[in-house]
Amino acid sequence: MLTHGQNVSYGNSVRVVTTNIIEGDIDPETNAISTRQEILNLKILCQTPQEAGQIANTLNPLLAKGEPIYFSGGLPSRKQDGSIEVVVEMPKLTKASK
């Protein structure tokens, strides 16, 4: 992957990047709901590049249709660019692709 002009290797994994818009309280000065955006990177670890390809090919049509995708993951960590990364597992996809 090329990011900010640098080549970054993620090993055997699939990345799903989401933008979450979080609504807060009403700002008393503007009378508008305060919102903020957070970028969340989900990293799906894979055994092989072929498994990563199979998972990506399974996820792409679901993402295009806007269907929900369920993940099981660990604690999030904040990256240097301000985004948050969670390493996740997708047992149904990874078992099916082996």
Side-chain angles (χ1 to χ4, degrees), residues 16-67:
V16 177
V17 180
T18 68
T19 302
N20 298 315
I21 299 173
I22 301 163
E23 292 184 353
D25 296 330
I26 295 176
D27 184 334
E29 291 181 23
T30 63
N31 212 22
I33 296 175
S34 64
T35 60
R36 62 183 166 89
Q37 287 188 28
E38 279 195 357
I39 297 173
L40 179 65
N41 296 302
L42 302 175
K43 180 178 181 180
I44 305 166
L45 298 177
C46 304
Q47 297 294 320
T48 65
Q50 292 78 16
E51 181 183 36
Q54 289 173 341
I55 290 173
N57 288 336
T58 301
L59 290 178
N60 283 335
L62 298 173
L63 293 169
K65 291 178 188 175
E67 292 190 22

Side-chain angles (χ1 to χ4, degrees), residues 76-88:
S77 62
R78 188 165 299 275
K79 307 307 279 181
Q80 287 183 345
D81 64 2
S83 66
I84 298 171
E85 178 180 89
V86 178
V87 177
V88 299

